[in-house]
Amino acid sequence: MIKFLDLEKINNRFRNEIDKKIADILDKGWYLLGEENTNFTKNFAEYCGTKHCIGVANGLDALNIIIKAYGFNQGDEIIVPANTYIASILAITQNGCTPILVEPDIKTYNINPELIEEKITEKTKAIMVVHLYGQAVQMEKIWELAKKYNLKIIEDSAQAHGAIYQGKRCGNLGDASGFSFYPGKNLGCLGDGGCITTNDDELAAKIKAIRNYGSNVKYHNIYKGVNSRLDEIQAAVLDTKLKYLDNDNTRRRKIAKYYRENIKNAAVILPETYDENAHVWHIFAIRTKERDRLQNYLRENGIETLIHYPIPPHKQECYKEWNHLHFPITEEIHNTILSLPISPVMTDEEVEKIIKIINTKME
Ligand SMILES: *Cc1c(COP(=O)(O)O)cnc(C)c1O
């Protein structure tokens, strides 16, 4: 069986380094907001090219805390792609804000910048861009709109560690960015983790306090904060793995290129990229009208695939109030999309096998 993602294999490459770091933490007896956190967040900020990086407990919290730090709440509108993962939307509604859903471009799967301006009202406070599947959003038009209407740009970079747009990394393309280090992400830890990057000194200081009970000085609470910290063990694991992130992304790009050059099946639409550096291929999503049949066929042939995502946010039970809405491009994507295995530890033989089976006519 070719697994969709072999996490054991991914992390075992760093077994010795991780074992040693965890032993060091046990020896020191310091588990939260310590040296590992300082080191990793400093290194990740440097990697992204931002002034600040603040560790938090997960990617959803990262987005949630950014919105909280800006003070956006009831009545405020935040523009967001309609086909994003549910967490982007949850972060908005958890703050009482209203998500304004915008259709994606079917070629990139990212928000269609041409459809944003018509959705801007006097209540709009921010545009949340999501670098979906690992491809950086083409920001040009969005920067223009943010300037023109005085809006914040919040990036959801949970799938795009290391992706580059016009020489800058994701996490450094807006006012503040949320990252997730969920195990399956391109940079993943051994549990939950996340961070926020920004160049804004004031915002960074506020976020640092909010994620720690709203406190900068112990037992002095200036904000109604939350408890959302990146623990020392996860920070240590991430600091180890960060050194290999670019190599891993290069391997993903090679596999994606190989898939794109060699999958030849008239029923399959391959994902596109406008620039090799812009995509870190967190997910290799093909589309086909025969999605469910192809998924079964691949499973019968020992290949595990996943669907990112089977139900769009506006059709979810938890957002009943939007169930009557129609976003045809988003729905088309959700009905036809299928994610093939892609990871830095996949072998050439595995990639070849997947291509061979997709290129063989289904019976
Ligand atoms: C994974 C993910 C998140 C949430 O991250 P968690 O760490 O799981 O909370 C948010 N947005 C997107 C696009 C994601 O893929």
Side-chain angles (χ1 to χ4, degrees):
M1 183 77 176
I2 301 178
K3 284 192 193 173
F4 180 73
L5 190 62
D6 190 340
L7 283 174
E8 190 189 340
K9 196 169 173 189
I10 285 181
N11 287 323
N12 265 325
R13 296 177 296 164
F14 317 116
R15 185 69 181 248
N16 291 342
E17 260 181 277
I18 289 173
D19 276 348
K20 186 176 173 311
K21 283 199 171 172
I22 293 177
D24 287 349
I25 291 167
L26 281 168
D27 286 342
K28 266 191 288 185
W30 190 277
Y31 308 111
L32 288 165
L33 301 183
E35 207 178 320
E36 297 295 344
N37 209 284
T38 306
N39 288 341
F40 169 67
T41 52
K42 182 176 161 286
N43 291 334
F44 195 66
E46 201 169 289
Y47 178 82
C48 293
T50 57
K51 274 173 86 176
H52 305 279
C53 170
I54 304 108
V56 295
N58 57 66
L60 173 57
D61 279 4
L63 298 170
N64 208 328
I65 292 169
I66 291 169
I67 298 171
K68 215 177 286 304
Y70 277 127
F72 301 150
N73 52 38
Q74 207 70 46
D76 293 337
E77 295 178 353
I78 298 179
I79 288 170
V80 64
N83 62 320
T84 185
Y85 178 55
I86 198 74
S88 328
I89 313 274
L90 287 171
I92 297 172
T93 59
Q94 280 172 8
N95 281 283
C97 300
T98 306
I100 302 297
L101 305 177
V102 171
E103 287 265 58
D105 176 337
I106 199 144
K107 284 212 171 113
T108 61
Y109 305 130
N110 276 332
I111 193 166
N112 185 341
E114 299 307 321
L115 302 178
I116 294 176
E117 192 162 16
E118 65 198 56
K119 298 286 182 95
I120 295 173
T121 71
E122 65 276 17
K123 293 180 187 164
T124 311
K125 292 290 194 279
I127 302 170
M128 185 186 283
V129 295
V130 183
H131 309 295
L132 203 67
Y133 305 149
Q135 176 148 251
V137 170
Q138 288 164 287
M139 297 297 294
E140 205 79 60
K141 173 92 191 188
I142 295 167
W143 285 331
E144 249 176 65
L145 291 172
K147 204 164 167 198
K148 181 168 168 193
Y149 294 97
N150 192 26
L151 306 175
K152 296 295 179 196
I153 297 175
I154 299 171
E155 297 177 74
D156 180 344
S157 304
Q159 302 189 353
H161 317 73
I164 295 172
Y165 177 76
Q166 291 188 2
K168 283 185 174 182
R169 297 221 192 246
C170 286
N172 191 20
L173 300 174
D175 295 287
S177 172
F179 282 91
S180 164
F181 303 123
Y182 177 81
K185 309 290 186 183
N186 287 30
L187 180 60
C189 56
L190 307 182
D192 276 315
C195 79
I196 296 162
T197 54
T198 181
N199 290 311
D200 181 334
D201 298 341
E202 214 176 298
L203 187 79
K206 202 166 172 188
I207 285 169
K208 246 184 171 158
I210 289 175
R211 61 99 195 247
N212 189 31
Y213 301 109
S215 161
N216 275 328
V217 176
K218 210 167 186 181
Y219 308 130
H220 291 251
N221 303 84
I222 40 180
Y223 308 109
K224 293 177 187 117
V226 297
N227 173 9
S228 181
R229 300 171 297 217
L230 180 67
D231 68 67
E232 288 289 279
I233 291 179
Q234 302 309 338
V237 169
L238 290 166
D239 207 35
T240 299
K241 291 181 70 177
L242 178 59
K243 300 193 290 283
Y244 305 95
L245 177 60
D246 282 341
N247 273 341
D248 279 3
N249 284 341
T250 301
R251 175 70 185 149
R252 285 174 184 271
R253 284 190 184 112
K254 270 213 177 99
I255 294 170
K257 186 158 187 265
Y258 202 72
Y259 274 150
R260 291 169 64 222
E261 283 170 357
N262 293 286
I263 292 177
K264 293 196 165 58
N265 179 325
V268 170
I269 301 167
L270 294 166
E272 294 182 25
T273 174
Y274 59 90
D275 172 4
E276 291 293 324
N277 289 324
H279 212 322
V280 291
W281 300 101
H282 173 59
I283 283 171
F284 190 91
I286 62 170
R287 284 195 301 118
T288 171
K289 298 239 179 292
E290 307 257 13
R291 194 260 311 277
D292 295 344
R293 260 187 78 206
L294 180 59
Q295 185 172 38
N296 284 333
Y297 175 69
L298 289 170
R299 188 184 302 118
E300 283 159 15
N301 284 282
I303 296 158
E304 185 186 16
T305 59
L306 293 179
I307 297 170
H308 298 94
Y309 301 90
I311 306 171
H314 70 281
K315 294 293 181 194
Q316 294 286 357
E317 205 175 325
C318 66
Y319 290 121
K320 274 198 187 68
E321 60 275 33
W322 306 329
N323 285 178
H324 66 285
L325 298 177
H326 283 297
F327 291 94
I329 297 171
T330 295
E331 287 159 32
E332 166 83 10
I333 290 172
H334 285 75
N335 290 331
T336 55
I337 206 138
L338 185 68
S339 309
L340 302 184
I342 189 161
S343 93
V345 296
M346 273 178 79
T347 63
D348 291 348
E349 292 70 38
E350 287 172 323
V351 178
E352 298 273 5
K353 180 181 168 187
I354 293 167
I355 292 168
K356 199 174 135 217
I357 289 167
I358 294 178
N359 290 351
T360 315
K361 207 167 153 33
M362 282 187 276
E363 292 311 329

